[in-house]
């Protein structure tokens, strides 16, 4: 029973490994397409996809068959001390779609490890441990990744192996950038960068790491072109740019294959994870050869890029490209975003509806203010579950509903989810005062 499993979970797992829905935590036991079924037999439309990881959805034949073919060889693991055909083939594909000339790819198991590797490459290359990061960002749960995470509730330690200086986020509902036009926002951000470089660094900064759209931060994103404007200033100082595409990559934003492409910029390194494995542990870094090669010692990842995960990754990337899921993300994302804005314009608790493609956030506030309303967020969150829809939460104040449905979402499923969302929000809005 799920209740028994929850008690067992709480008895052996750390207290900080929490589950959604409190005492009503659910165990997912099967899935197909965009739907999952829990241990009680209840089926849900999934708009969160294992935190944007089940990018193609569930029980995808092409992925399952690719993994089964590799399993049938008996080689589940060999390490990179031996050639791994699946790994090389996937690296070739990723290098090709990255847009980076003479690219090299290093595979890891998670986005956290990918960002750690990117920090290693850039700090070695620049011979500096200074990093620029963005407020409200999230880059992982390891030592250095926490240090560059600008989100206090996700930073479990104040200790750090890097020296971090912080830039303003793309937050436009409140804060310093509130009310600015896109052009003024970009000008202010560039001026902020210049001031930070002049005041809180010794000049020889290694890199700026930035999410094109902040994931855990609540799908906050700055105006298009901002990273390109920042890169021009970074180039004046030889500072590298790392694009954290763990959540924004592989066509999820609809308009572009990579989130950075909205910014008229070419990063020096791109980190990727989550969706490329569609549930299998697969992540990595792709970047310029001189940077990725900047490791003056023997190093490898024991499980990163193993035959099973890269077999899945090859099938996932082929599926994304063959079925043009980027275009599908644009179509279905438009149904959701336009539908939400049309249906919820008169609600009191919705502060902002934002996003791009199938990366959508709804921020809830107390009526008549921009003050975060976590209670309303939880009410909507629970109402969605009751209506048969799984969504996520996030944001600096925990008041943002996050949605990252599988990129295979159909138009009918988008409308179905939209109806459940609208009803859940209107229910919570009617209770507000």
């Amino acid at each position: 029973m799920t209740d028994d499993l929850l008690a067992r979970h709480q008895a052996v797992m750390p207290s900080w490994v929490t589950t959604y829905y409190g005492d009503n935590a659910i165990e997912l036991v099967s899935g197909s397409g965009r739907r999952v079924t829990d241990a009680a037999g209840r089926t849900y439309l999934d708009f969160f996809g294992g935190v944007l990881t089940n990018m193609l959805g569930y029980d995808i034949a092409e992925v399952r068959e690719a993994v089964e073919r590799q399993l049938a060889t008996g080689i589940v693991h060999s390490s990179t001390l031996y050639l791994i055909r699946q790994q090389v083939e996937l690296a070739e594909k990723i290098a090709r779609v990255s847009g980076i000339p003479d690219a090299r790819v290093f595979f890891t198991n998670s986005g956290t490890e990918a960002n750690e590797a990117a920090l290693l490459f850039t700090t070695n290359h620049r011979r500096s441990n200074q990093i620029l990061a963005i407020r409200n960002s999230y880059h992982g749960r390891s030592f250095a990744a926490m240090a560059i995470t600008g989100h206090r509730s996700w930073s479990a330690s104040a200790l750090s192996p890097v020296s971090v200086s912080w830039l303003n986020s793309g937050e436009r509902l409140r804060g310093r950038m509130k009310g600015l036009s896109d052009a003024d926002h970009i000008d202010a951000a560039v001026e902020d960068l210049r001031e930070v470089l002049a005041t809180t660094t010794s000049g020889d900064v290694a890199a700026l790491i930035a999410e094109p759209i902040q994931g855990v931060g609540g799908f906050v994103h700055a105006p298009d072109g901002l990273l390109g404007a920042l890169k021009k200033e970074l180039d004046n100082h030889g500072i590298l740019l790392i694009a954290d595409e763990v959540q924004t990559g592989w066509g999820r934003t609809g308009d572009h294959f990579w989130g950075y492409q909205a910014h008229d910029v070419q990063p020096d390194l791109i980190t990727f994870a989550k969706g490329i494995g569609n549930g299998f542990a697969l992540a990595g870094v792709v970047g310029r050869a001189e940077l990725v090669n900047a490791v003056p010692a023997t190093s490898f990842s024991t499980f990163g890029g193993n035959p099973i995960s890269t077999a899945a990754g090859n099938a996932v990337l082929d599926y994304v490209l063959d079925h043009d899921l980027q275009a599908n993300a644009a179509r279905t994302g438009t149904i959701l975003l336009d539908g939400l804005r049309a249906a919820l314009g008169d609600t009191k608790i919705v502060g902002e509806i934002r996003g791009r493609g199938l990366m959508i956030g709804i921020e809830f506030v107390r009526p008549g203010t921009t003050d975060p309303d976590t209670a309303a967020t939880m009410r909507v969150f629970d109402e969605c579950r009751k209506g048969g829809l799984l969504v996520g939460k996030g944001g600096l104040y925990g008041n943002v509903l996050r949605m990252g449905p599988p990129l295979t979402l159909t138009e009918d499923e988008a409308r179905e989810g939209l109806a459940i969302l609208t009803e859940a929000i209107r229910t919570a809005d009617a209770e507000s005062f």
Side-chain angles (χ1 to χ4, degrees), residues 62-63 66-71 86-87 90 282 305-316:
E62 289 85 344
V63 178
V67 171
E68 288 173 346
R69 284 194 297 272
Q70 183 60 43
L71 282 170
Q86 298 278 12
Q87 184 183 84
L90 181 56
L282 181 62
N306 69 74
I308 297 295
S309 65
T310 50
N314 273 295
V316 169

Side-chain angles (χ1 to χ4, degrees), residues 135-211:
R135 294 180 180 129
N136 196 46
S137 61
Y138 176 78
H139 299 290
R141 50 153 295 281
S142 61
F143 199 37
M146 281 191 298
I148 57 171
T149 287
H151 197 299
R152 187 173 63 183
S153 62
W154 287 89
S155 297
S157 174
L159 303 176
S160 172
V162 290
S163 176
V164 185
S165 294
W166 299 97
L167 303 180
N168 284 308
S169 78
E171 166 73 64
R172 287 187 274 184
L173 187 61
R174 57 183 73 83
R176 292 183 61 182
M177 303 299 188
K178 177 181 179 181
L180 295 181
S181 67
D182 286 359
D184 287 344
H185 185 126
I186 291 172
D187 288 345
V190 172
E191 187 56 38
D192 177 51
L193 170 61
R194 291 185 181 127
E195 182 179 346
V196 167
L197 289 174
T199 58
T200 65
T201 78
S202 60
D204 56 338
V205 174
L208 164 65
I209 184 166
E211 302 162 276

Side-chain angles (χ1 to χ4, degrees), residues 44-65:
Y44 305 87
L45 180 61
D46 187 2
F47 266 26
F48 206 38
V51 193
L52 286 76
T53 300
N54 300 317
M55 185 169 70
L56 304 187
Y58 299 88
D59 194 26
I60 304 302
E62 289 85 344
V63 178
R64 182 181 67 252
E65 291 165 4

Side-chain angles (χ1 to χ4, degrees), residues 106 117 120-122 124-125 289-300:
F106 176 66
L120 174 67
F121 303 156
T122 54
N124 271 344
H125 182 77
E290 63 176 315
L291 303 180
V292 180
N293 289 337
V295 179
T298 301
S299 186
F300 72 108

